[in-house]
Amino acid sequence: MSSKGPGLFSDIGKKARDILTKDYNSDQRFTISSSTNSGLDLNSSLVKSRGLSSGDVAAQFKHKNKTVHFKVNTESSVLTTFTVTDVVPSLKTVASIRLPDYNSGKIEVQYLHDHAGFTTSVDLNRTPIIDFSATIGTAGVAFGAETSYSTSVGNFTKYNAGLCLKLPRSNASVILADKGDSMKVSYLRDLERLNGGAFVGEISRRLSTNENTLTVGCSYVVDPQTIVKAKLNNHGNLGALLQHELTHRSFLTISGAFETKELENSPKFGFSLLLKP
């Protein structure tokens, strides 16, 4: 699928969000993944969160432009996803269902063009929720909006809008969400002094309560195998993360969170280990 255009609505501000949120967790996760030359990928995960353990086993098979993905977890839930790309140029179709809930079926269509991106998804049940998003512009400047319509209540339950500006070494975005009640402005700057890392500043404002949150964060490339990230907001929440590539495509991630204004609270730590033999 084309990547020269404005992308999808979910891409607005994504790079800044990844630095501030991606891979931060307080759980313990262990994952083993393997691949075969025939296009079959196997993945097994164990997770311990808040004293509870869970796990899942997943298999994915790719053939030409088609992908079938199965995931079974310890709660006896089976997720099946079927993806087809480029039947029509720049079009991607995703169908999914989670058994034994037969009402969980969903079909999604994504279309990317040099000057526009569209997505629409529909629940496959008697009272479906219809989601739609559209983005127009170029790879440098884009405006987008998304909405969700519930047929059960006959009303729009979500509508958001966003704007982004991308330059060679920086980008900025503005997202208006929660039916116009919240606004988020973020700015990212790539810095050579961070060896390919970046600095991010983000301001979130809840209009109904006049609550503001300022978050700053950065990523630093220690070496080709090691990345360090950190973030801090005006409420005193501090987070840090270290990710190291043990071998080719095998990663160890350690993260921690600490509330600097509540010294009596113990810090929270989590780690994930992804092995790909």
Side-chain angles (χ1 to χ4, degrees):
M1 297 181 69
S2 173
S3 60
K4 298 180 180 179
L8 303 177
F9 181 82
S10 58
D11 296 327
I12 296 179
K14 182 179 183 302
K15 190 173 180 180
R17 285 197 306 274
D18 285 349
I19 290 180
L20 296 178
T21 63
K22 187 177 180 181
D23 295 323
Y24 284 97
N25 69 84
S26 58
D27 305 330
Q28 289 79 50
R29 178 184 296 270
F30 178 73
T31 304
I32 297 179
S33 179
S34 62
S35 303
T36 65
N37 294 330
S38 62
L40 178 64
D41 295 339
L42 299 175
N43 193 320
S44 179
S45 296
L46 291 174
V47 181
K48 185 176 182 180
S49 176
R50 298 178 181 178
L52 300 177
S53 299
S54 61
D56 60 67
V57 177
Q60 178 176 284
F61 180 73
K62 297 181 66 175
H63 178 67
K64 295 182 179 179
N65 64 333
K66 303 177 184 65
T67 303
V68 181
H69 182 268
F70 297 96
K71 179 183 284 188
V72 182
N73 63 26
T74 52
E75 297 178 352
S76 300
S77 175
V78 181
L79 174 64
T80 303
T81 305
F82 182 68
T83 305
V84 182
T85 59
D86 292 330
V87 173
V88 176
S90 300
L91 185 70
K92 179 179 180 180
T93 303
V94 181
S96 64
I97 187 171
R98 185 181 294 275
L99 300 176
D101 183 6
Y102 292 94
N103 292 320
S104 63
K106 176 180 287 190
I107 187 167
E108 178 180 353
V109 177
Q110 301 178 2
Y111 177 74
L112 289 175
H113 186 267
D114 287 345
H115 299 290
F118 302 94
T119 67
T120 183
S121 66
V122 181
D123 293 336
L124 302 179
N125 54 48
R126 293 183 179 180
T127 56
I129 295 176
I130 303 172
D131 297 316
F132 177 79
S133 72
T135 308
I136 59 174
T138 66
V141 181
F143 171 79
E146 67 174 357
T147 186
S148 181
Y149 181 81
S150 174
T151 58
S152 63
V153 299
N155 200 358
F156 289 94
T157 58
K158 178 179 70 175
Y159 36 87
N160 305 326
L163 173 69
C164 70
L165 172 65
K166 297 180 182 179
L167 298 175
R169 300 195 61 82
S170 64
N171 65 71
S173 66
V174 179
I175 297 179
L176 190 65
D178 300 320
K179 299 181 179 181
D181 185 49
S182 67
M183 182 174 64
K184 182 178 292 184
V185 180
S186 64
Y187 175 78
L188 179 145
R189 175 72 178 181
D190 294 322
L191 298 176
E192 293 182 359
R193 293 183 179 180
L194 299 182
N195 296 336
F199 169 82
V200 175
E202 178 185 271
I203 299 176
S204 300
R205 178 174 175 82
R206 177 74 64 175
L207 302 180
S208 59
T209 60
N210 290 325
E211 180 183 356
N212 298 311
T213 300
L214 170 63
T215 306
V216 294
C218 69
S219 64
Y220 173 64
V221 181
V222 180
D223 56 51
Q225 289 77 37
T226 309
I227 297 176
V228 175
K229 296 198 299 185
K231 61 179 179 178
L232 175 67
N233 66 20
N234 62 310
H235 302 299
N237 298 322
L238 172 67
L241 177 149
L242 183 147
Q243 186 173 81
H244 181 71
E245 185 175 10
L246 302 173
T247 59
H248 179 58
R249 299 191 305 165
S250 294
F251 295 90
L252 171 64
T253 304
I254 301 174
S255 64
F258 185 72
E259 296 183 11
T260 59
K261 293 184 179 181
E262 300 291 340
L263 298 179
E264 68 274 11
N265 291 344
S266 60
K268 300 177 181 178
F269 295 97
F271 76 89
S272 66
L273 179 62
L274 170 61
L275 297 178
K276 290 191 175 183

